[in-house]
Amino acid sequence: MSLVTLLPFIVLIGAMILMTRSAKKKQQQAVDMRNQMQPGSGVRTIGGMYATVKEVSEDTVLLDAGPGVELLFAKNSIGAVLSDEEYNRIVHGIEHDLKSDVVPDDASSLTETDEPSDDASAASDDKPIDLGKKDVSDDATDEAVEAKADEAEPKKTDGESDAK
């Protein structure tokens, strides 16, 4: 047989070896992550439940899911060990201080001047301009609609009846 005939088989076998190596590597990382669990760590199970590790044994993990709720899980059912910051953000809704990450809405806070400019003080003295249009005919039609509504008989509701 020639080398050209064997080349597709060689490439296929090489691809299979590479795929199994990457799968084994991921499995080993998951095992290492589960072995790093310590009491007090926040975890997410493969079912999506968030809890705190209370006790770790060889094959099982005792989780504290809330006040008075302790659950025993197999060690391989832990999907992820979370950092303290991530666990608190997800479970307790505690965010880190975002003040340093805030970008100002306008460029005026980016300037270093302490005194306001003359144009800004003149603009702040002006009254706000009402851009809404309202014609006199609109006022008259509104009053006519209100008068008709007052003259109309009130409608009965389901709970009312005339019989006694």
Side-chain angles (χ1 to χ4, degrees):
M1 288 193 161
S2 69
L3 185 64
V4 175
T5 311
L6 293 176
L7 188 63
F9 293 112
I10 294 172
V11 169
L12 251 133
I13 291 171
M16 289 174 48
I17 290 172
L18 288 175
M19 286 191 294
T20 56
R21 279 185 57 195
S22 66
K24 284 182 182 180
K25 197 174 194 179
K26 286 181 184 179
Q27 285 178 347
Q28 185 61 41
Q29 287 176 345
V31 168
D32 291 341
M33 180 245 343
R34 290 182 185 117
N35 288 335
Q36 291 175 356
M37 280 188 300
Q38 299 173 354
S41 301
V43 296
R44 182 185 66 234
T45 65
I46 58 174
M49 184 183 72
Y50 293 92
T52 306
V53 176
K54 190 168 184 178
E55 204 175 285
V56 180
S57 67
E58 191 173 322
D59 294 331
T60 60
V61 179
L62 184 65
L63 300 179
D64 183 18
V69 180
E70 293 179 355
L71 304 165
L72 187 64
F73 275 84
K75 208 174 199 181
N76 62 358
S77 67
I78 302 301
V81 177
L82 307 172
S83 67
D84 290 338
E85 182 180 299
E86 184 179 8
Y87 181 77
N88 287 332
R89 181 183 59 81
I90 293 170
V91 175
H92 303 295
I94 299 172
E95 295 286 334
H96 70 286
D97 186 21
L98 296 175
K99 298 263 186 205
S100 62
D101 299 340
V102 174
V103 176
D105 291 338
D106 59 347
S108 65
S109 64
L110 297 175
T111 60
E112 295 293 327
T113 60
D114 291 336
E115 50 193 59
S117 66
D118 294 334
D119 295 335
S121 63
S124 64
D125 293 339
D126 294 340
K127 294 180 183 177
I129 300 171
D130 184 19
L131 298 177
K133 290 185 176 180
K134 192 164 190 177
D135 293 336
V136 176
S137 61
D138 290 341
D139 291 336
T141 56
D142 290 343
E143 290 173 3
V145 170
E146 288 177 12
K148 285 182 182 179
D150 291 339
E151 293 172 3
E153 285 185 30
K155 304 229 179 200
K156 293 182 182 176
T157 60
D158 293 338
E160 296 179 5
S161 66
D162 290 334
K164 290 188 178 186

